Amino acid sequence: MRVIIINLLENKYGTVRTRRRKINLDSIEQEVISSAYKTQEEYLWAGGFRVLADSINELVAEGFLEPVKSSPMSSKQPYMYTYFWLNKSVSTQVGWDPSAVLSVQNLLDLHYYLIRPETQTQEVWDQIVQVSNFLRTAKDREIITTEERSLELFGKEKWLSETEGKQFLTRLKLTLESLKSVNAREPFIYFSSLVPVRNILIVENKSFFHSAKRLMLSEKKICGLFPDMLIYGEGWKIDSSLLFLEELDIDPLQTTLLYVGDMDKAGLDIYGKLKVSYPDLNLGLALPIYEQMMKLTEEPYMYNVPQSCNPDHLHNVLQEFSNYPELKSYMERLLEEDRRVPQEILNYEVMARLAER
């Protein structure tokens, strides 16, 4: 889709542009659909807005597009700015010393800069020198955190985590691993009642976490489940923070992990992405909890904000409902009618009553 977007914009505004052009996100999406897909459904099955957003983010990282940060955010997930600048492609030539460029070309891919003379500034060259000097000794260096490496090479501890730093690495076709750095694992909020930990329940929402924690403190089951540890996933955050378990001396491969979130597109998407990110883990849906959410809901809720779900994630997740035919049918009906059931339907009082049965 990235190539489709580039071709559409360059056909409209030219490959050589001496000034920026303001582009509307909705217009890009509609032009992509009409030019590359036979139907709206085909576009959705190809990944839809999420794939479009990923492609646009790649073009932002490459400097082809730039978000208009004063513009409102999109109504679709993942939320993005609704306007972007299509950057100019030519400018006043600055240029680097050819002999200096030759001295680092065996270490770095400078193609992005060499075909765009206007990007060849002294500041960027100083950064390239720092990186090339590091790469010459990289085999003898230890792995440290991204913030530590960023401070060492660029004098700013957060630079590599910011848009400018990410663009710099993308343009040189480098990764954090190339710089022998790793992102420090982000801790999550958790509660544990037993050691060793063998059964873990991950919950999407904060309210459910606190209610479930109260039940665990009272040694009561959570909709029939009695986990050793409870983790507050904080929506999408869990995808990057899950391996913080290792910092707690818990081997994720030796545990059973169950996940429960809202019965909606975003909730299924979060879990689907988690399954893709951690294929080796014994990770599944906490189906007994979803079953109680279904039984307690008299009338499903409307969406406050439109949501989307990666079709591959959706297909894979629905397969896990197969052992609960009534629940699967209910979930499919929610999707068809564009309705949802929030996790908060199971408040503490409700779950405490269920635990007494």
Side-chain angles (χ1 to χ4, degrees):
M1 192 176 290
R2 171 183 168 278
V3 174
I4 295 172
I5 296 171
I6 291 174
N7 289 339
L8 282 171
L9 294 178
E10 290 192 338
N11 286 340
K12 189 171 184 178
Y13 298 106
T15 55
V16 176
R17 300 174 301 278
T18 56
R19 65 187 180 89
R20 298 196 298 177
R21 302 279 188 166
K22 198 172 186 180
I23 309 297
N24 177 264
L25 179 62
D26 287 339
S27 297
I28 294 176
E29 183 176 32
Q30 291 307 313
E31 289 180 30
V32 165
I33 295 171
S34 61
S35 66
Y37 299 94
K38 294 178 182 178
T39 63
Q40 177 85 11
E41 288 72 23
E42 183 180 330
Y43 165 70
L44 293 174
W45 277 105
F49 186 75
R50 184 172 296 281
V51 174
L52 178 82
D54 289 343
S55 299
I56 288 176
N57 285 332
E58 287 179 23
L59 294 174
V60 169
E62 294 169 10
F64 187 79
L65 296 175
E66 180 182 338
V68 178
K69 295 184 178 179
S70 60
S71 66
M73 302 301 287
S74 64
S75 60
K76 302 177 185 177
Q77 292 182 334
Y79 302 123
M80 312 181 67
Y81 292 104
T82 50
Y83 283 88
F84 292 82
W85 290 113
L86 171 63
N87 284 327
K88 58 186 179 181
S89 58
V90 296
S91 185
T92 305
Q93 184 166 339
V94 179
W96 293 330
D97 179 357
S99 62
V101 169
L102 192 60
S103 71
V104 301
Q105 275 195 299
N106 64 322
L107 296 166
L108 294 166
D109 185 336
L110 299 179
H111 177 74
Y112 176 89
Y113 294 101
L114 295 181
I115 65 171
R116 297 172 175 82
E118 73 278 5
T119 66
Q120 297 177 27
T121 65
Q122 185 61 46
E123 180 183 9
V124 172
W125 180 253
D126 291 342
Q127 293 165 343
I128 286 174
V129 169
Q130 285 293 98
V131 171
S132 62
N133 288 342
F134 170 81
L135 292 175
R136 289 189 175 94
T137 63
K139 67 180 187 300
D140 300 317
R141 302 297 298 273
E142 297 288 341
I143 295 174
I144 61 177
T145 70
T146 299
E147 289 78 12
E148 290 167 337
R149 187 70 76 209
S150 185
L151 183 65
E152 175 195 345
L153 297 180
F154 308 106
K156 301 180 224 176
E157 68 271 24
K158 296 189 182 297
W159 192 74
L160 280 173
S161 300
E162 296 171 348
T163 301
E164 186 180 359
K166 291 177 180 177
Q167 286 179 345
F168 178 72
L169 292 186
T170 299
R171 291 168 181 176
L172 292 175
K173 294 185 169 58
L174 291 176
T175 63
L176 294 177
E177 289 78 11
S178 306
L179 301 182
K180 298 193 82 167
S181 66
V182 295
N183 287 319
R185 289 172 184 159
E186 191 172 5
F188 44 63
I189 299 170
Y190 68 95
F191 170 74
S192 179
S193 62
L194 295 173
V195 177
V197 172
R198 290 289 179 263
N199 298 293
I200 298 173
L201 177 63
I202 303 168
V203 303
E204 180 184 338
N205 298 331
K206 187 184 294 183
S207 295
F208 190 95
F209 172 83
H210 287 294
S211 295
K213 179 181 175 182
R214 288 175 66 184
L215 291 171
M216 289 178 67
L217 287 169
S218 301
E219 299 185 351
K220 295 179 180 178
K221 290 185 178 182
I222 304 166
C223 298
L225 303 176
F226 207 161
D228 306 326
M229 173 180 277
L230 186 68
I231 294 175
Y232 167 39
E234 296 187 66
W236 287 99
K237 178 182 174 183
I238 189 62
D239 189 56
S240 61
S241 66
L242 183 57
L243 287 187
F244 182 72
L245 284 169
E246 294 175 352
E247 305 290 332
L248 304 175
D249 293 326
I250 298 171
D251 183 356
L253 296 175
Q254 301 300 316
T255 62
T256 297
L257 299 103
L258 295 180
Y259 179 90
V260 63
D262 295 329
M263 294 180 73
D264 59 15
K265 294 174 185 176
L268 298 183
D269 210 16
I270 293 168
Y271 174 71
K273 178 63 168 61
L274 207 57
K275 290 283 284 187
V276 172
S277 299
Y278 304 98
D280 297 329
L281 297 187
N282 183 16
L283 174 65
L285 290 169
L287 292 169
I289 302 180
Y290 284 105
E291 188 175 41
Q292 290 299 333
M293 291 170 64
M294 173 187 70
K295 291 178 177 179
L296 287 165
T297 304
E298 294 181 5
E299 183 66 30
Y301 296 76
M302 300 290 291
Y303 282 94
N304 295 323
V305 177
Q307 293 183 358
S308 61
C309 181
N310 182 302
D312 291 334
H313 294 171
L314 183 59
H315 174 76
N316 294 334
V317 173
L318 286 177
Q319 295 307 305
E320 290 197 39
F321 284 97
S322 296
N323 291 332
Y324 287 66
E326 184 183 359
L327 182 59
K328 183 180 181 183
S329 176
Y330 184 79
M331 190 69 244
E332 290 173 337
R333 184 162 65 86
L334 288 179
L335 293 168
E336 183 181 345
E337 296 177 359
D338 218 21
R339 299 293 186 102
R340 63 189 297 268
V341 177
Q343 207 170 15
E344 288 81 359
I345 197 76
L346 284 170
N347 60 44
Y348 175 75
E349 289 179 317
V350 171
M351 288 195 288
R353 286 198 299 270
L354 291 172
E356 296 297 329
R357 293 180 181 176

